[in-house]
Amino acid sequence: NPAKNKIYINSHFIAGGLISVVDILGRIIFSTPVPEYLPGNVFELNMTSLDKGIYMLRFDSQNKTICKKIIIE
């Protein structure tokens, strides 16, 4: 962090879940499902459509929700 174009996420913890990018006002900018299996357990998230700023990544899976702050340059 900070990121410019792409974020790489270890999918071991979020496989089969949903990733959402949320702005600082709490609006969901976009969401995408995470496949159950990914080669190398790495999920690539393209961030090129986002303006510079602070966002939250929200990971929702069957048994937990995790939020992490990201900065886009």
Side-chain angles (χ1 to χ4, degrees):
N1 214 354
K4 289 187 180 186
N5 297 320
K6 296 181 182 180
I7 293 177
Y8 298 93
I9 302 165
N10 182 337
S11 67
H12 174 75
F13 301 106
I14 58 169
L18 182 72
I19 294 179
S20 300
V21 176
V22 181
D23 69 10
I24 59 172
L25 298 177
R27 297 177 295 200
I28 296 174
I29 306 301
F30 67 87
S31 295
T32 186
V34 180
E36 287 286 335
Y37 174 77
L38 289 167
N41 289 326
V42 175
F43 186 74
E44 181 181 290
L45 193 57
N46 186 335
M47 307 302 273
T48 56
S49 65
L50 297 179
D51 292 331
K52 293 180 182 180
I54 299 172
Y55 298 87
M56 295 296 293
L57 280 183
R58 187 175 76 202
F59 308 102
D60 295 302
S61 66
Q62 292 177 354
N63 57 357
K64 63 182 163 183
T65 298
I66 300 170
C67 292
K68 298 288 182 181
K69 180 175 81 171
I70 59 168
I71 299 169
I72 303 298
E73 289 187 335

